[in-house]
Amino acid sequence: MGIENDRKLIVNCLPLTEAERAQFIRAAKGMPQEFVGDSTQRGSMNWTAEIPDELKAYATAVIGNITPETCAQCPRLEWLQTWSAGVDKYQRPGVLHPGFMLTNATGAYGQSVSEHMFAMMWSIMKNLHIYAVGNPNAAWQDAGRVISPDGKTALIIGTGDIGSHFARLCKSVGMSTIGIRRNPTVEAPGIDHMVGFESLDDVLQYADVIAMCVPSTPSTHHLLNAERIAKLKTDAIVINAGRGDAIDTQALANGMIRGAGLDVTEPEPLPAASPLWSEPKCLITPHVAGGNHLESTERRIIAIALGNVRCYANGQSLDNRMPLKG
């Protein structure tokens, strides 16, 4: 830690109850802490984080997704704890100085996002997205053959917290699972067979469901491109809840597959003129799978931050530390 404990200040933007604030006060062990969050935001999709101007010169730690511009306005800032799992905007060169501690909420969203993905998968298997579109027109019309997940194979690209949760849900309904991660020697719960990214083209042919749970990086940009989409089964289902640019959406619209569930798109928000809105095989939600609507997600975010405040006050290593790009 670069600043002595008696000169530190934690600015806590979490929307906490009084009982939760008391927990953070105890965890800080006398380290000054200002609570600026709005408890009425609990249950909303997104929380807002703002630091009062009078605190910017003194804040050494912030809990909350402040803007990158605000980081630059806090000269003594040494630690940022986000309530999101994605921290792309803070990792860009020049946003945070070398030696800065950036921690995220990885581990909080696995249940919420995976359940959303699972619901999308099941809806497309049973044509529910087609029936929903027909409801305003009073369309009493059979949408055709449906699929059972039993005996099918899910290919899960990205097997961290979210991918592993999704894999376990798939296993619970009789599916087998193939996982893809950078280091295939590391196992993940719910994955039957793990391979590296270099084997992606070899396993696409076996996939009935392709679940995308990867961050936005140069190596994942259009990971699922036209060539790979062409290799998929004609009744395959693609689900993406990671980052929108992992899929070439134009190629997806042109591809011969059963359907796609997209909670993330390229770009976001998806423009009204995008052909994906009128594509009958696409089920689109506005990046809501990982929000804070689920109460257990909120509790996990708060628990992660609380544990790190305890570590910060004790001069210990922080959990969920993320690398900076410089």
Side-chain angles (χ1 to χ4, degrees), residues 256-295:
M256 299 298 293
I257 61 173
R258 181 180 181 88
L262 307 176
D263 185 57
V264 290
T265 60
E266 183 189 27
E268 289 186 6
L270 188 64
S274 172
L276 290 179
W277 286 118
S278 57
E279 174 53 61
K281 64 187 174 189
C282 281
L283 172 57
I284 299 170
T285 54
H287 203 153
V288 294
N292 302 323
H293 289 318
L294 191 64
E295 186 177 356

Side-chain angles (χ1 to χ4, degrees), residues 10 35 43 49 63 75 89 157 175 191 231 298:
I10 302 170
F35 296 96
I63 302 173
K89 62 184 178 182
I157 306 176
M175 300 181 74
I191 300 297
K231 293 181 179 180
E298 293 181 322

Side-chain angles (χ1 to χ4, degrees), residues 228-265:
R228 286 175 171 149
I229 290 171
K231 293 181 179 180
L232 299 178
K233 297 178 180 181
T234 56
D235 60 352
I237 296 171
V238 173
I239 307 292
N240 190 13
R243 287 294 182 265
D245 66 352
I247 298 179
D248 181 344
T249 49
Q250 183 59 50
L252 184 66
N254 295 334
M256 299 298 293
I257 61 173
R258 181 180 181 88
L262 307 176
D263 185 57
V264 290
T265 60

Side-chain angles (χ1 to χ4, degrees), residues 60-76:
T60 61
V62 172
I63 302 173
N65 286 41
I66 57 176
T67 66
E69 293 74 22
T70 302
C71 292
Q73 297 167 9
C74 302
R76 300 177 73 237

Side-chain angles (χ1 to χ4, degrees), residues 12-17 20-21 36-50 63-66 83 291-295 297-299 301-302:
N12 193 325
C13 304
L14 287 166
L16 303 172
T17 65
E20 289 165 344
R21 288 189 180 193
V36 298
D38 180 3
S39 62
T40 64
Q41 292 185 356
R42 293 292 278 269
S44 61
M45 175 61 197
N46 295 305
W47 298 337
T48 57
E50 295 183 4
I63 302 173
N65 286 41
I66 57 176
W83 48 52
N292 302 323
H293 289 318
L294 191 64
E295 186 177 356
T297 300
E298 293 181 322
R299 291 198 300 268
I301 292 169
I302 291 169

Side-chain angles (χ1 to χ4, degrees), residues 83-281:
W83 48 52
S84 63
V87 291
D88 311 26
K89 62 184 178 182
Y90 303 112
Q91 292 177 304
R92 295 169 186 154
V95 175
L96 302 173
H97 60 74
F100 192 95
M101 296 177 294
L102 173 64
T103 56
N104 69 356
T106 291
Y109 294 95
Q111 178 184 1
S112 175
V113 178
S114 65
E115 288 178 351
H116 190 98
M117 295 170 68
F118 195 67
M120 282 185 142
M121 178 193 78
W122 208 298
S123 294
I124 295 171
M125 284 183 168
K126 302 303 180 184
N127 294 332
L128 299 188
H129 61 309
I130 297 175
Y131 291 120
V133 170
N135 281 350
N137 301 319
W140 192 270
Q141 186 173 353
D142 182 359
R145 186 181 292 276
V146 298
I147 297 174
S148 170
D150 187 37
K152 297 296 189 292
T153 297
L155 173 61
I156 300 160
I157 306 176
T159 55
D161 180 43
I162 295 170
S164 181
H165 267 82
F166 181 75
R168 282 177 277 176
L169 289 174
C170 290
K171 295 285 290 178
S172 72
V173 292
M175 300 181 74
S176 59
T177 57
I178 302 172
I180 292 185
R181 71 187 326 167
R182 284 190 297 271
N183 184 355
T185 64
V186 178
E187 297 181 352
I191 300 297
D192 295 322
H193 182 59
M194 189 78 75
V195 299
F197 275 86
E198 69 279 0
S199 299
L200 175 57
D201 292 313
D202 299 326
V203 296
L204 280 173
Q205 60 183 308
Y206 303 112
D208 298 293
V209 175
I210 302 89
M212 310 284 289
C213 314
V214 294
S216 179
T217 68
S219 63
T220 61
H221 181 77
H222 288 185
L223 185 66
L224 201 59
N225 55 22
E227 182 180 357
R228 286 175 171 149
I229 290 171
K231 293 181 179 180
L232 299 178
K233 297 178 180 181
T234 56
D235 60 352
I237 296 171
V238 173
I239 307 292
N240 190 13
R243 287 294 182 265
D245 66 352
I247 298 179
D248 181 344
T249 49
Q250 183 59 50
L252 184 66
N254 295 334
M256 299 298 293
I257 61 173
R258 181 180 181 88
L262 307 176
D263 185 57
V264 290
T265 60
E266 183 189 27
E268 289 186 6
L270 188 64
S274 172
L276 290 179
W277 286 118
S278 57
E279 174 53 61
K281 64 187 174 189

